[in-house]
Each structure stands twice: as C-alpha cells, then as structure tokens.
Amino acid sequence: MSKHSPADQAPIPTAPVPPAHWAASYEEEPSQASTPPQANGMTALKPFGWAKDNLFNTPLNTALTVACLVLLWLVVPPMANWLLLNASWSGSSEACREAAGACWSVIVVKHRLIFFGTYPYDEQWRPFLACALFVAMLGASGVRAFWRPWLAGAWALTLVGMGVLMWGGVAGLTYVPNDRWGGLPITLMLSVFSIALAFPLSILLALGRQSSLPAIRTFCVGFIEAMRGVPLVSVLFMASVMFPLFLPEGVTVDKLLRALAGMTLFTAAYLAEAVRGGLQAIPKGQYEAADALGLGYWQKTMLIVLPQALRIVIPPIVNQFISAFKDTSLVTIVGLYDLLTAATVATTDPEWRPYFAEVYVFAGLMFWIFCFSMSRYSQWLERLANRYTRR
C-alpha cells in the first residue's frame, strides 16, 4: 500500500508557456527605453548633446559657461598676439622696441647665459653634452625594458663622463671649478642627486619611526620633525654659513656638496612621512601572513610590506620629487647659479632689462617641461603597478 495519497501524486502545475510568436515579436521590437542614444540620431549631434547635458543643463551652469567663454575671449586673443603673432623672434633690442608683442630675441641672445651660467663661453659645449647625456639616461631609466642590471653600470659611466666634462683637467680639457658652473646643469644635478640620495634615506627614517626600539624611534622622529619645522632656506643657510664654523681649521667643504647635503636631508624628511603613510595603509593581515611564513624582519619588509606601501604612495612621492626640483631655485643663497638665478642675471644687461618678463616666462617653461614629464611618468608608473597588482 502506497504511503502517499492520490492528491499527493497529482502533477505540480507549471506556468503557462507563451506562444512562440510572442517571443519573436519581443525580439523584433525592442523597447524605446533600451535603445542606445546612437540609434536615436544622436551620433551626429553628440558634442552638442554633451554640451547641453553638462554645460547648459541648469541656469547656474549656463551662466558660468557663458562667463568662462567671455573670459577666454578677453584673455586668449591678446595673449596669443603678445606671445606669438606680434612677437619679435630675432634682431636687436631696437627691433623689440618697435614690435607690439613679446621680445623673444632676448632668449636668442642670452640663451647661453640662461642655460650654462658663468661657465667659460668657449667650453659651453661640455655642459651641453653633459646635460644631454644626463637627460638621455633619465629617459632610458624610465623605460621598463631597460630595467636591467647593466643600467647601474651605464649610470656609473655616465656620472664619470659628466664629471670629466664638467670639471675637465684630463684628456686635454681645461679645468673649470664648480663655482663657475651654473644654469641647467646645476638644477639637474642638485635635483636628481638629492632625490636619489633622499629616497633610500627616507625609507630608513620611515621604518625607524615605526621601530619598537625607543632610541631609533626617538632619533627618527626628532630628525623628521626638526627638518619639517624649518624652511629650506634656513637649512641651506645653515649648510652654507654655520656648518663651516664647526669644521677644524683648514678643512673646507665645497659649497655644491653643502647645498646637496642640505637638500637631501630636507627632502628625505618629507619623503619619510609619505612612505610612513604607505606603511600604515598596509593591512595587519599582511604582517601576520609574513610572520606565519617564517620571514624575518628584513625579508618581510623588503618582500611583502615595502613594495605594497610604495605602490600606494606613488602620487605623494612624485609630488615631493617635483617640489625638490623646484626648490633648486633657492640655492642662490649659497652662491650657486641655478637655472632661475642665471635667468635673473641675464636680465641685468641694461640693453635687455625691459624684457625681463620674457626671460622669466622661458625659465618657467623649462621648469614646467620637467615637472610635467615627472607627473605624466608617475601616472604611467601607477597604472603599471595597479595592472600587475590585479594579476
């Protein structure tokens, strides 16, 4: 005898199946709401549609858009006329006085002084070649395909070659002391060397500030706060004026090295705080997982923690790199002629003094080119790091 009643064995009712032509009609006639904008004839009017949706969608946005357009109309045409259309590109100062625009002739006449400072005129091909080698190595170092062990050897040869070119005294080259250097070579060398030396020092300071040893933590905290509490001008002044007073009699330190040391220590303090922020952003589980694998402190730091921390803080690190590059304009306090100081000296010529604005615009353009290149490279590096992290 069955354990189930006939009612229990009745078939379970199912939902009615719509006729086949219903599905066909549904597929052949898509709804108007699901139609993409391109199917509604918006392809040809896409820029106007975007402007209507984003610039003229409300009365306030419409008023702001119109105000910006009026401002651009009042500013851009006169600026273009002064910069390009009515500018004087060659000739003497008399031709500039007759022109209604900018006098770029001052750059043509004074470009050697702006780029190379007081370096001997007949030997200025040497700093030009040194800067070309330096910039070429910086560009090669930014290419991922060149991240090989031989790159370190190439950098060593480049630095030796730069020293031979800038100082001379060998291979028949005239000796030029570094107090005659100036312009772009000083800006590049101070910025790149201070960044390269400050970065590993900042990592040690950031790790030391989180150390469990009181002596190391106190020293790192004191150093970072002391450097961050004073302006760079004060640090350079101490390195230039006060530091030699503590040296034994007869012992001197080159002013270029003193400026480099001051910029390095100052930059390292700010970079250390950026690196510390990345270290604090690492989840605690990463530390515990490394400890579970039996990794030592340095293995855990170098293989697990530090790579993740540096990837997180790429933007603030590059921001500090850009700031260090611009801070080279302050080394004039120790008697060094960086790019901006050399440009200022170029404006002291009475014949070209009325055209100081063009000189400063050109110097600003040089700074912008290098800073913008660093910014774009940091964005590429950040995308590369995120891509490999997702893998």
Side-chain angles (χ1 to χ4, degrees):
M1 184 177 179
S2 175
K3 296 181 180 180
H4 302 280
S5 62
D8 296 334
Q9 297 178 358
I12 300 175
T14 59
V17 180
H21 66 277
W22 287 12
S25 63
Y26 179 79
E27 295 175 355
E28 292 172 0
E29 299 179 3
S31 63
Q32 184 69 18
S34 62
T35 304
Q38 291 79 0
N40 291 331
M42 291 295 295
T43 303
L45 302 178
K46 188 175 181 179
F48 299 98
W50 179 89
K52 181 180 178 181
D53 295 337
N54 296 274
L55 302 179
F56 300 95
N57 55 340
T58 63
L60 178 60
N61 285 349
T62 301
L64 293 176
T65 301
V66 173
C68 291
L69 291 176
V70 172
L71 182 63
L72 291 175
W73 176 259
L74 295 176
V75 172
V76 173
M79 184 178 295
N81 291 332
W82 185 81
L83 289 173
L84 302 173
L85 301 181
N86 298 330
S88 174
W89 298 92
S90 62
S92 61
S93 58
E94 288 78 7
C96 288
R97 282 191 287 268
E98 296 176 358
C103 177
W104 300 118
S105 303
V106 64
I107 306 301
V108 177
V109 175
K110 298 292 184 180
H111 70 279
R112 286 201 174 196
L113 178 59
I114 295 173
F115 280 118
F116 308 119
T118 58
Y119 205 90
Y121 188 87
D122 295 334
E123 302 290 334
Q124 287 182 357
W125 63 271
R126 289 159 54 181
F128 173 77
L129 184 57
C131 288
L133 290 174
F134 201 60
V135 173
M137 283 303 302
L138 289 175
S141 301
V143 179
R144 184 169 175 268
F146 295 154
W147 295 350
R148 299 290 185 271
W150 57 264
L151 187 62
W155 263 111
L157 293 177
T158 300
L159 295 179
V160 172
M162 286 183 60
V164 171
L165 288 171
M166 295 297 296
W167 268 296
V170 296
L173 298 176
T174 305
Y175 175 74
V176 179
N178 56 18
D179 57 359
R180 298 289 305 275
W181 300 2
L184 186 60
I186 289 291
T187 298
L188 288 178
M189 286 188 291
L190 281 178
S191 59
V192 174
F193 290 156
S194 63
I195 290 171
L197 296 174
F199 185 64
L201 180 59
S202 67
I203 294 176
L204 294 178
L205 289 172
L207 294 174
R209 185 159 188 169
Q210 292 188 324
S211 175
S212 58
L213 301 177
I216 296 179
R217 185 174 63 254
T218 302
F219 172 79
C220 293
V221 171
F223 176 83
I224 293 173
E225 297 302 329
M227 282 295 171
R228 294 175 65 212
V230 295
L232 179 58
V233 173
S234 301
V235 176
L236 293 176
F237 181 80
M238 291 288 294
S240 176
V241 179
M242 301 300 296
F243 178 72
L245 300 178
F246 297 94
L247 296 177
E249 185 177 356
V251 178
T252 59
V253 179
D254 185 80
K255 60 182 179 180
L256 182 61
L257 292 179
R258 281 179 278 163
L260 177 61
M263 289 193 62
T264 300
L265 297 177
F266 187 83
T267 304
Y270 280 87
L271 284 175
E273 289 299 282
V275 175
R276 185 171 70 92
L279 293 174
Q280 291 179 339
I282 302 300
K284 186 178 180 181
Q286 297 291 316
Y287 294 90
E288 296 174 349
D291 293 335
L293 293 174
L295 299 180
Y297 174 79
W298 290 109
Q299 287 180 318
K300 175 177 62 177
T301 301
M302 301 302 294
L303 300 178
I304 305 297
V305 177
L306 198 57
Q308 299 182 72
L310 294 180
R311 180 183 61 82
I312 295 173
V313 295
I314 287 177
I317 285 178
V318 177
N319 180 67
Q320 189 58 42
F321 288 174
I322 294 174
S323 178
F325 181 83
K326 294 186 293 184
D327 285 343
T328 56
S329 59
L330 298 176
V331 297
T332 182
I333 195 174
V334 296
L336 296 176
Y337 285 83
D338 70 297
L339 180 62
L340 185 60
T341 305
T344 303
V345 172
T347 62
T348 59
D349 189 344
E351 182 180 0
W352 299 100
R353 187 176 299 168
Y355 312 107
F356 64 92
E358 289 84 342
V359 176
Y360 286 122
V361 168
F362 180 75
L365 178 62
M366 293 295 102
F367 275 94
W368 179 83
I369 289 174
F370 285 99
C371 294
F372 182 73
S373 301
M374 285 189 282
S375 176
R376 297 297 299 178
Y377 180 73
S378 71
Q379 295 179 13
W380 173 82
L381 190 63
E382 192 173 3
R383 289 194 298 268
L384 180 66
N386 292 334
R387 188 186 317 131
Y388 278 90
T389 301
R390 286 193 298 266
R391 290 182 181 179

